[in-house]
Each structure stands twice: as C-alpha cells, then as structure tokens.
C-alpha cells in the first residue's frame, strides 16, 4: 500500500490481511489507509467459547486504534 500512495493518491484502502493490534497503527499511518480490520477482534476460539468479555476487550482496544487514527487525521488536516 505504501508503494501505491504516490502513483494512485485517489485510492484509499482498508487492509484486513495480516493485521493485528500490534501492527495496525503502522498501516493507519499510511496516507492511503483509512481503516483496518481483521479477525483478531473476534478470534474463532473466543467465539466458539462464547467469550464475549474477551471479545469486548479486543473491540475496546480496536476502538482505541480508531481514536488514534481520527486524532492523527485532525492533526494532519490542521497542518494543510
């Protein structure tokens, strides 16, 4: 995605493959990535166990990533 940003600036991406909590911010820092997704928010084993508390905790962490992305976007817009 990084290599596509310069020649195709009008295209925005929502990567979902190989995304995890640990690397989501790296993707979100790219100018052509508007969001990320992945099964890490609701792993199959947690769904099978009906472990909604743990899934909720992962969703809460994902919401924190979104808050980071939004604040970064506002900061970048204010510098334009």
């Amino acid at each position: 995605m990084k290599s596509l940003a310069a020649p195709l600036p009008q295209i925005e991406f929502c990567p979902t493959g190989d995304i995890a909590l640990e690397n989501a911010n790296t993707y979100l820092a790219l100018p052509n990535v508007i969001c990320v997704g992945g099964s890490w928010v609701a792993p199959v084993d947690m769904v099978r166990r009906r472990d909604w508390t743990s899934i909720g905790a992962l969703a809460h962490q994902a919401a924190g990533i979104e808050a980071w992305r939004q604040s970064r976007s506002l900061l970048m817009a204010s510098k334009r």
Side-chain angles (χ1 to χ4, degrees):
M1 275 164 261
K2 187 176 184 179
S3 64
L4 295 174
L8 301 168
Q10 72 279 16
I11 299 176
E12 296 176 320
F13 296 92
C14 177
T16 58
D18 295 324
I19 306 297
L21 182 61
E22 297 78 23
N23 67 356
N25 285 338
T26 301
Y27 283 92
L28 289 168
L30 298 172
N32 57 345
V33 172
I34 58 169
C35 63
V36 296
S39 58
W40 60 273
V41 176
V44 173
D45 63 317
M46 287 183 188
V47 173
R48 285 187 182 136
R49 290 192 320 263
R50 298 178 182 264
D51 187 355
W52 312 128
T53 301
S54 295
I55 292 171
L58 290 173
H60 183 74
Q61 290 174 333
I65 293 170
E66 175 59 15
W68 176 87
R69 187 197 66 78
Q70 287 179 359
S71 64
R72 178 183 163 273
S73 293
L74 289 173
L75 178 65
M76 290 178 71
S78 70
K79 291 183 178 183
R80 291 183 193 150

